[in-house]
Amino acid sequence: MNTSPYYKAFVAQTLEGVLQSIFKKEEDVLIAISLTNGVYLEGLLIDLKKDDNHTTAICLRTQNEEISYVHMHSIAMVTVKQPKKMVVELSQGAISRPLSSTSNELTVLQLKIWLKNEKLQLGSQIKHINVEALNLKEENNRLNVQDLFVAFKNCIESITKDSLGKEAWLGVDNIVIQQAEKLQLTIEASTLTISIAIHKALPQNLSSLLEEKLLQLL
């Protein structure tokens, strides 16, 4: 039996919740459903019907190119046939990204060189971006740092569109990123500290969250 560590992060969820997560995925995920009458279907989820935010029926394209319509109440079990594509959703964010997305290796040195080059876009006053407090042994963490910085750059671009924002941002010359379970921004002297759960899935609206918190500080 496969004992890969990522399986340990999966959590129990409702069948409806799993189906809704699969439907939101941009890439196809092969699933199987077992019905209460013993019928077994395998294929791709192509649509679901909601009533008052509850799924009432699904539409499944089988491997034989047939279309099956199934009432939600008749589903006894949902099996995700390609769980590696769904690790973020199946772990509810405990795993930061699909395992397949780590095919392009990003070493610690490459990340630090990338940060050094990218920090120039934050303003000439930024002297250093410190990530030494983070666990960078895991590639997912390194990729998350990269994604976090991209979101942060978008946040700064939005804040510095006017002269008032530009002037306020000039008061920051060092950035520290550290591990924490809850997203938090603090400024002490001229150092901005970003605390975030770097080992978990980053919020989809991270850029706007960073902007909201930073505007409260500047």
Side-chain angles (χ1 to χ4, degrees):
M1 184 176 182
N2 195 325
T3 57
S4 298
Y6 74 85
Y7 285 116
K8 298 178 181 178
F10 290 175
V11 296
Q13 301 182 50
T14 64
L15 303 186
E16 181 181 0
V18 171
L19 288 170
Q20 289 181 358
S21 295
I22 292 169
F23 184 63
K24 292 177 183 177
K25 291 287 288 185
E26 293 183 0
E27 62 178 326
D28 290 336
V29 178
L30 183 64
I31 65 170
I33 59 174
S34 299
L35 306 185
T36 53
N37 61 5
V39 172
Y40 176 88
L41 297 171
E42 192 171 294
L44 301 175
L45 181 63
I46 59 175
D47 196 18
L48 54 80
K49 180 180 178 182
K50 285 187 177 181
D51 185 12
D52 293 331
N53 292 323
H54 289 289
T55 302
T56 58
I58 68 169
C59 180
L60 193 74
R61 189 184 78 195
T62 69
Q63 292 182 313
N64 295 326
E65 298 299 323
E66 298 173 338
I67 303 297
S68 297
Y69 298 90
V70 182
H71 196 281
M72 188 68 202
H73 291 315
S74 65
I75 300 176
M77 181 173 68
V78 174
T79 301
V80 181
K81 304 290 287 186
Q82 297 169 307
K84 288 185 178 181
K85 291 184 177 182
M86 293 286 298
V87 291
V88 176
E89 294 83 3
L90 297 180
S91 69
Q92 293 189 335
I95 299 177
S96 63
R97 64 183 63 237
L99 302 182
S100 59
S101 69
T102 64
S103 56
N104 296 324
E105 184 180 359
L106 177 70
T107 67
V108 174
L109 178 59
Q110 287 172 333
L111 173 63
K112 290 183 176 180
I113 293 174
W114 182 84
L115 285 171
K116 184 177 180 180
N117 292 330
E118 291 293 306
K119 80 177 177 67
L120 298 176
Q121 300 182 38
L122 295 179
S124 58
Q125 87 279 10
I126 301 299
K127 300 174 183 176
H128 188 57
I129 298 175
N130 189 329
V131 294
E132 300 304 322
L134 297 175
N135 174 14
L136 297 179
K137 293 181 180 180
E138 297 292 333
E139 186 172 15
N140 276 0
N141 293 2
R142 300 195 293 272
L143 291 169
N144 269 359
V145 171
Q146 198 172 46
D147 289 346
L148 167 63
F149 193 76
V150 170
F152 186 69
K153 284 196 303 178
N154 293 336
C155 158
I156 298 305
E157 286 176 5
S158 177
I159 288 176
T160 56
K161 284 181 179 179
D162 57 55
S163 57
L164 188 61
K166 289 179 181 178
E167 183 179 353
W169 177 240
L170 286 174
V172 174
D173 57 25
N174 284 292
I175 300 171
V176 175
I177 305 174
Q178 65 182 22
Q179 171 68 29
E181 287 305 311
K182 185 178 180 181
L183 176 62
Q184 184 177 359
L185 272 63
T186 57
I187 293 180
E188 185 174 348
S190 59
T191 297
L192 170 66
T193 300
I194 303 174
S195 304
I196 193 168
I198 206 66
H199 63 295
K200 295 184 178 180
L202 301 177
Q204 292 184 349
N205 59 337
L206 180 57
S207 184
S208 58
L209 287 175
L210 289 170
E211 182 176 349
E212 177 184 348
K213 292 181 178 296
L214 189 55
L215 283 172
Q216 296 173 0
L217 298 174
L218 293 177

